[in-house]
Amino acid sequence: RRSSDRDPCGSLDQPDLYYEYYPHMYPGRKGSVVPFSMRVLHAELPQYLGNPQESLDRMHSMKTVCEKILEHLEKGLAEDGSMISITPSNRSASVQLWRSRLGRVMYSMANCLLMMKDYVLAVDAYHTVIKYYPEQEAQLLSGIGRIFLQIGDIKTAEKYFKDVERVTRRSEER
């Protein structure tokens, strides 16, 4: 089978999927025509078709891109690494957006690892997600606790459920 038979979308990084490819239609506009959420779906799809490793590879590529963009922003550059100046409020909004996107990719990676029954890496990935979505810490810790229950590690599960109680109390006190 041709690779196009397996994946009709192909690579979402083809030149014709960028605004720069159409300067007459989008003068001065840069970046991908493909929405981020479509890229996430494209990365997640193979795991549901029996190829979780392909999903992980795609998600890892997305993670690398998100980290590179955040690195550019932290160095005072634009998202693409150019020297274009961005107002502090736009830079802050962009950092927030890309951190959220990175968290979303990590969440997808964690779910994929869980589906593959790679519990150690899945738990690590869920811990990373907490860093990007601290407001969901209780739900994520509870999910990690359920993973440990599922694999029969009751002691560790109890520890996580106690952490959930602690986090919930802390948020109620605010």
Side-chain angles (χ1 to χ4, degrees):
R1 292 175 83 183
R2 294 187 330 248
S3 66
S4 60
D5 291 341
R6 286 191 310 267
D7 187 5
C9 295
S11 166
L12 297 182
D13 289 321
Q14 297 165 149
D16 64 337
L17 294 176
Y18 285 82
Y19 290 111
E20 293 91 334
Y21 192 80
Y22 309 99
H24 53 288
M25 289 175 65
Y26 304 102
R29 187 130 189 221
K30 290 182 167 201
S32 177
V33 178
V34 181
F36 185 80
S37 54
M38 177 69 89
R39 289 179 179 279
V40 171
L41 287 172
H42 181 256
E44 289 177 337
L45 188 59
Q47 71 187 319
Y48 301 112
L49 300 174
N51 192 352
Q53 191 57 54
E54 176 68 23
S55 277
L56 276 182
D57 292 347
R58 290 179 183 183
M59 289 176 212
H60 187 75
S61 295
M62 290 182 70
K63 176 184 174 218
T64 302
V65 168
C66 291
E67 289 171 338
K68 189 72 175 162
I69 289 170
L70 282 167
E71 185 182 310
H72 288 159
L73 289 166
E74 285 160 13
K75 287 181 179 173
L77 303 170
E79 289 92 340
D80 64 359
S82 65
M83 298 291 281
I84 297 170
S85 62
I86 303 174
T87 65
S89 66
N90 282 354
R91 177 176 314 286
S92 174
S94 192
V95 166
Q96 198 174 351
L97 172 70
W98 284 99
R99 279 183 57 83
S100 173
R101 287 178 170 179
L102 180 54
R104 177 67 185 89
V105 170
M106 292 304 301
Y107 190 73
S108 289
M109 287 177 87
N111 289 342
C112 185
L113 289 162
L114 185 59
M115 187 185 283
M116 294 168 73
K117 297 183 175 16
D118 191 333
Y119 301 114
V120 173
L121 288 179
V123 167
D124 280 350
Y126 285 121
H127 275 287
T128 302
V129 174
I130 292 170
K131 193 168 80 176
Y132 297 105
Y133 294 114
E135 70 282 0
Q136 293 180 18
E137 183 177 15
Q139 295 91 324
L140 289 160
L141 290 173
S142 177
I144 294 169
R146 288 194 304 275
I147 291 170
F148 282 105
L149 271 182
Q150 206 174 348
I151 60 175
D153 186 343
I154 310 300
K155 278 265 184 265
T156 306
E158 283 177 349
K159 176 197 153 311
Y160 276 96
F161 294 135
K162 280 188 172 64
D163 288 346
V164 170
E165 288 176 11
R166 181 183 43 78
V167 168
T168 305
R169 266 196 308 276
R170 191 177 64 212
S171 66
E172 287 171 354
E173 290 168 2
R174 287 184 196 151

